[in-house]
Amino acid sequence: MTFSRLALALGALLLVGCKNTDMPEEIASVFVEASPSVGGSMKQEVRLPVSGVSITVMTRALVPAEEILGTQPITSGDPDLRQEFLLVQLDRQGAIDVMNYSREARGRHFVLVINDTAVGIMPIDRQISDGNLMFHVEKKGLSNTEAVMDISKRLNISSLKVRKIKEAERK
């Protein structure tokens, strides 16, 4: 997890200079639950901050920060059990990677990680072909609704900064 974020941050610093204060503070990535057959060096355990749910994920993100277009709070579920979720929208490459992975991964989970901290989980119960992931998120000291709103706002700011850095690289 750390290497890809470090490479992105260092590349951005070299590209735009050290004086730039427009660096993203939070780097979000989507990881996948590791198969039990995967070797120990290719997986690591992460834990959600409130529930304490522990999940073993691959060490390399399926969807890196630069493939996340934005987020949005949404309400979903049965009328009696409605909850707030964080909708994470992916660019074309991220959507293709998720579609290909989710075809064979029913029963596993996607995990949303921000700066090496797991904050959200999404079960894979079908193939996802639209590039939209819906995470249940947690943040210590905040209710479900507050956590969704806070994380969405912060990730949208960071996503915009990552896209600006990506566009500057193309020039």
Side-chain angles (χ1 to χ4, degrees), residues 114-126:
I114 301 174
N115 296 347
D116 296 330
T117 302
V119 297
I121 190 166
M122 176 188 163
I124 304 169
D125 54 8
R126 62 178 172 78

Side-chain angles (χ1 to χ4, degrees), residues 97-128:
D97 291 342
V98 163
M99 182 178 69
N100 291 335
Y101 182 81
S102 64
R103 179 178 336 144
E104 305 291 330
R106 286 186 185 98
R108 293 199 211 144
H109 296 86
F110 289 119
V111 179
L112 180 63
V113 175
I114 301 174
N115 296 347
D116 296 330
T117 302
V119 297
I121 190 166
M122 176 188 163
I124 304 169
D125 54 8
R126 62 178 172 78
Q127 183 177 17
I128 299 159

Side-chain angles (χ1 to χ4, degrees), residues 34-49:
S35 166
S37 63
V38 172
S41 65
M42 296 179 64
K43 60 185 179 181
Q44 64 187 10
E45 187 176 298
V46 296
R47 186 175 307 276
L48 292 171

Side-chain angles (χ1 to χ4, degrees), residues 3 6 15 20 24 28 33 38 50 67 76-77 82 92 104 109 116 143-144 150 159 163 169:
F3 178 75
L6 180 60
L15 185 67
N20 188 351
E33 182 176 4
V38 172
V50 177
E67 294 177 4
S76 184
R82 296 189 72 74
R92 184 170 187 245
E104 305 291 330
H109 296 86
D116 296 330
S143 71
N144 172 250
D150 180 65
S159 293
R163 279 199 307 276
E169 288 176 352

Side-chain angles (χ1 to χ4, degrees), residues 1-2 5 31-32 34 39-46 55-60 113 116:
M1 280 195 289
T2 308
R5 280 192 278 286
F31 287 79
V32 295
S41 65
M42 296 179 64
K43 60 185 179 181
Q44 64 187 10
E45 187 176 298
V46 296
I55 190 163
T56 303
V57 298
M58 301 297 291
T59 55
R60 185 170 183 210
V113 175
D116 296 330

